[in-house]
Amino acid sequence: MKPLIYGLITGILFGFLLQRAHVIRYDMQLGALRLKNMTIVKFMLSHIIVAMIGIHLLSDLGLITFSVRTTILGSAIAGGLIFGLGWGLIGYCPGTSIAAIAEGRMDAFWGILGMITGAAIFAEIFPYLQDNIMSWGDFGKITLSQLFGLNHWIIIILFAIGSLILFKWFEKRGL
């Protein structure tokens, strides 16, 4: 029960931050899709860095067990294309659509309906996908630190530095 409570609390906090950063606004979403406003990219990269640090720190301290999912290129590419198509059509990604509904924006309902429909279709065709797309490019359970033979903290630091350089470049360009 505790992990569910923790998930609920962090989900509410994340939704609050989405709302406060205004990244659930349609104009922000459209700006990101048109590569004219990188606020959403900066917001997400910031959260990824914080999550990388938090998860690895908790794992190193022995407070959590770090479980790596299998890296399968076929499913990642197919899922990314479907995600991008849905974001482009509706103007919301899954997280921002739920936050937009909470804010009273009923246009996001169509995105949530699409997610539910997509999940139902996925469940029906899963056996076919498992033998095909979900087996293409199976690299097993591998992390970037394992791939490059580096300590995970080096990867995190390089990712953080790269993100900061990208943020600076965005700011110089007014993005």
Side-chain angles (χ1 to χ4, degrees), residues 21-107:
H22 302 287
V23 295
I24 59 176
R25 292 187 0 214
Y26 180 76
D27 60 326
M28 287 283 196
Q29 298 287 321
L30 188 60
L33 289 169
R34 296 179 65 211
L35 304 176
K36 303 267 185 198
N37 184 335
M38 294 292 115
T39 302
I40 292 173
V41 174
K42 292 183 278 189
F43 180 85
M44 292 309 296
L45 278 175
S46 299
H47 281 79
I48 290 169
I49 293 166
V50 169
M52 288 171 74
I53 293 168
I55 287 170
H56 284 285
L57 182 62
L58 292 172
S59 178
D60 287 352
L61 294 173
L63 298 173
I64 63 167
T65 302
F66 190 58
S67 178
V68 178
R69 296 201 33 110
T70 304
T71 301
I72 303 172
L73 293 183
S75 57
I77 291 168
L81 289 171
I82 292 168
F83 173 88
L85 181 64
W87 186 19
L89 288 173
I90 199 68
Y92 294 107
C93 69
T96 57
S97 63
I98 292 169
I101 286 283
E103 196 174 68
R105 298 174 188 213
M106 297 314 293
D107 59 326

